[in-house]
Structure formats: C-alpha cells, structure tokens
Amino acid sequence: KAGVTQTPRYLIKTRGQQVTLSCSPISGHRSVSWYQQTPGQGLQFLFEYFSETQRNKGNFPGRFSGRQFSNSRSEMNVSTLELGDSALYLCASSPRQGVAKNIQYFGAGTRLSVL
Amino acid sequence: GQQVMQIPQYQHVQEGEDFTTYCNSSTTLSNIQWYKQRPGGHPVFLIQLVKSGEVKKQKRLTFQFGEAKKNSSLHITATQTTDVGTYFCARDGGSQGNLIFGKGTKLSVKP
C-alpha cells in the first residue's frame, strides 16, 4: 500500500496570506489527523476528520481549518498567516478500527515558512 | 491534565552505550504508543503497549508499560548511529484528539 502523501513538501508565504495543504491517506483509512510540529511546542494536534466530519479539534485559533472529501483526502487551510505559523505540518491517517485503530501513519509533512 | 511527560529531553551517548527514555502520566493510561522521528523525517510508529506490566522487544529495543499503567519506558541496548532521532511516547487523547504526544527525547549517538 502506498503511504500517506502530503503536498506540497515546502512552502514559503508572507504574513497575511493564506495557505492550503493537502493530504492523501493510506488506502482504506478513513481518519485523517493534522498536527503542527515546532521546536518549542513539539507535536500538537490540530484536528481529526473521519468520514468527512471533523471528529476532534485541538486548541488552535479559527484561522486553522480543514475538510475531508468523500475519498478521504483531506485539506488544511490556514488564513491570515502569522510568523508563528512557521512549522512542519504533519498529516497522519489511521484505520480507526481494530487493534491498530489509534496508530498514526504519518506523511512526510509540509514545511511552511512564513516571512 | 492529559499530558505525558518525557525525560530526559536530550541524551547524548557514545556508540555502544545503552539509552533509556521515560514517559510518565498523572492519570491511568488505556495504552501507550512509541514513535521515532529521524532528523528531517516524520514520526514512525514503533509499538503500542496495552497491558499492565507489559514488556515487548524489538531487536535491541525494549518497551515496558508500568504495572499501574501510568508510565512507560523505552530502552535501547548498545546504541548504534542508526538509533539517532527523537523518540516520542503518545497517549490516547480521548475527546481532545486522536493522540497526545510527549515532547520527545532527542538521542544523539557519537561514533
């Protein structure tokens, strides 16, 4: 099976702009979660989508949003970018069933730099 | 709260030395997962522990889950340069999300 695919791998934006990141999960995985990783804060959960519905949400402002499509692909959007949004954004898919239901399979990430 | 504390934050070892990282919770965990992230890479799932007192081995890696299910450890015997990276433990986040990750232990190995 192909792994989790994230595009683009790198992005450079300026403050005030918006950005959309894309994630294609492992085939058969209906859950997609997004995480922000920074040196200071570590891995922080943004939100999870399951069957096109947001299932869980972390402690991030409303500028961070996402959606999931019927084929389980997911997008994450950040509006009005701030310098502090510079981070590695990781997408992870999960089967959400069976003994492996909570295991996260991560993509390579999108490294976002906000100038 | 639901955070998991990992210690140490950093560990520098000579190749061949052993390494241990600890993950502690103030509340009982339903399970604990461990991930490894190589420099420049993404987290990769290593193992999940579910049972009280569980011990699992993967070659030179030994994972333990405490009897009270409030702590866990990862021990690497005779480290190699390929062990370099950050090791994260993660707990079930319940209503807060899929997983809550510890801050990680960054391991460097001097050849």
Side-chain angles (χ1 to χ4, degrees):
Chain A
K1 280 187 181 178
V4 177
T5 304
Q6 288 189 250
T7 57
R9 291 294 311 279
Y10 303 94
L11 265 179
I12 299 176
K13 294 286 187 180
T14 55
R15 277 182 301 174
Q17 287 187 311
Q18 77 164 13
V19 67
T20 299
L21 314 181
S22 180
C23 173
S24 293
I26 291 172
S27 176
H29 287 189
R30 292 161 63 189
S31 166
V32 173
S33 297
W34 289 88
Y35 296 83
Q36 182 196 65
Q37 186 174 37
T38 59
Q41 297 299 317
L43 264 168
Q44 291 189 290
F45 172 76
L46 280 156
F47 31 66
E48 178 196 4
Y49 284 86
F50 183 85
S51 293
E52 301 179 65
T53 302
Q54 188 178 88
R55 183 171 175 157
N56 291 299
K57 190 177 190 304
N59 211 15
F60 279 81
R63 298 185 298 107
F64 292 83
S65 63
R67 59 178 175 169
Q68 187 179 34
F69 302 95
S70 58
N71 61 359
S72 293
R73 190 178 71 84
S74 176
E75 287 183 347
M76 190 191 94
N77 184 274
V78 188
S79 63
T80 320
L81 284 166
E82 300 177 0
L83 295 178
D85 296 332
S86 295
L88 178 65
Y89 289 89
L90 291 159
C91 163
S93 74
S94 176
R96 271 304 199 177
Q97 61 184 1
V99 293
K101 64 179 181 178
N102 273 356
I103 294 173
Q104 301 283 279
Y105 297 87
F106 286 87
T110 295
R111 184 161 298 280
L112 172 66
S113 297
V114 182
L115 306 177
Chain B
Q2 290 199 29
Q3 299 299 316
V4 283
M5 303 302 294
Q6 267 191 269
I7 52 171
Q9 194 174 357
Y10 302 95
Q11 186 79 60
H12 309 280
V13 301
Q14 192 78 31
E15 190 173 21
E17 291 181 338
D18 291 358
F19 158 78
T20 304
T21 174
Y22 300 90
C23 183
N24 300 303
S25 169
S26 59
T27 58
T28 303
L29 304 169
S30 56
N31 58 67
I32 192 83
Q33 295 181 16
W34 286 92
Y35 291 77
K36 176 185 178 181
Q37 184 173 19
R38 294 179 187 274
H42 57 277
V44 175
F45 172 76
L46 293 176
I47 207 157
Q48 176 172 272
L49 304 173
V50 179
K51 298 177 183 176
S52 168
E54 191 169 15
V55 178
K56 286 189 176 180
K57 293 191 176 185
Q58 290 179 352
K59 297 183 180 177
R60 294 177 297 103
L61 278 61
T62 301
F63 302 85
Q64 292 190 340
F65 202 9
E67 293 289 342
K69 299 182 74 173
K70 286 187 176 182
N71 55 69
S72 180
S73 65
L74 158 59
H75 178 83
I76 302 179
T77 304
T79 54
Q80 300 175 358
T81 54
T82 53
D83 295 325
V84 163
T86 301
Y87 293 84
F88 295 94
C89 65
R91 65 167 293 168
D92 191 338
S95 61
Q96 288 188 31
N98 208 21
L99 285 180
I100 294 176
F101 284 81
K103 295 282 191 184
T105 296
K106 189 173 182 178
L107 172 64
S108 62
V109 179
K110 189 176 180 181

